[in-house]
Amino acid sequence: MSVATFGAVVPPALLSPPLCAVLELARLGRWLQPPAELEGRSVALTLTDLGLRHGLCCRGGRFRPHGVADAELSLSASLADVLLLLAGQVDADTLFFQRRLAIAGDTELGLVVKNWLDAQERPAWLTRLAARWSPM
């Protein structure tokens, strides 16, 4: 069974908690602090090449699992492109205009997420990880 097939049969409710745990570790490490504008807002992330869908929201300044069907914002990209975005090696506008990042839903929330990610300082290990996965 390929990873994409696996992702298609595993419900997002099982996939979202591990993603939120990783984001919480980044938050606790003081790398990824969610802005106040994310409070109570929900985002769905689809890793297109893996067929994996994750949902999360921000409550009390913490990342929590959330359903993907009722997310206010949906983002879709390959794992490599998400890693490049998180590592700051490419910006969301570039990915969007190259049709490598799809955005649907609340565009104002999309701008909040974009500006938040653009403003983050990146740890060296994330840059190294993104370089390994980068097709560029």
Side-chain angles (χ1 to χ4, degrees):
M1 176 184 292
S2 72
V3 174
T5 304
F6 177 75
V9 298
V10 176
L14 293 178
L15 298 172
S16 298
L19 172 66
C20 289
V22 169
L23 293 174
E24 272 299 294
L25 287 173
R27 184 187 67 79
L28 291 170
R30 304 253 182 246
W31 170 64
L32 199 60
Q33 301 301 311
E37 298 91 352
L38 281 183
E39 185 63 32
R41 308 300 300 269
S42 57
V43 177
L45 172 64
T46 300
L47 300 174
T48 54
D49 52 340
L50 302 179
L52 301 175
R53 298 180 66 202
H54 307 277
L56 62 106
C57 68
C58 187
R59 275 187 271 148
R62 301 174 79 176
F63 297 102
R64 300 285 184 225
H66 190 274
V68 296
D70 58 344
E72 298 168 78
L73 175 68
S74 294
L75 304 171
S76 300
S78 70
L79 174 61
D81 286 337
V82 169
L83 287 173
L84 289 171
L85 181 65
L86 290 175
Q89 293 182 353
V90 67
D91 62 61
D93 291 333
T94 299
L95 291 177
F96 178 78
F97 288 114
Q98 291 178 352
R99 299 179 192 260
R100 293 165 47 193
L101 171 65
I103 303 170
D106 187 327
T107 54
E108 185 176 325
L109 180 57
L111 285 173
V112 167
V113 171
K114 174 205 171 307
N115 292 335
W116 170 53
L117 290 176
D118 286 347
Q120 298 302 305
E121 297 244 354
R122 274 54 176 203
W125 65 264
L126 183 58
T127 304
R128 288 190 303 273
L129 178 65
R132 285 186 176 187
W133 281 82
S134 173
M136 298 176 165

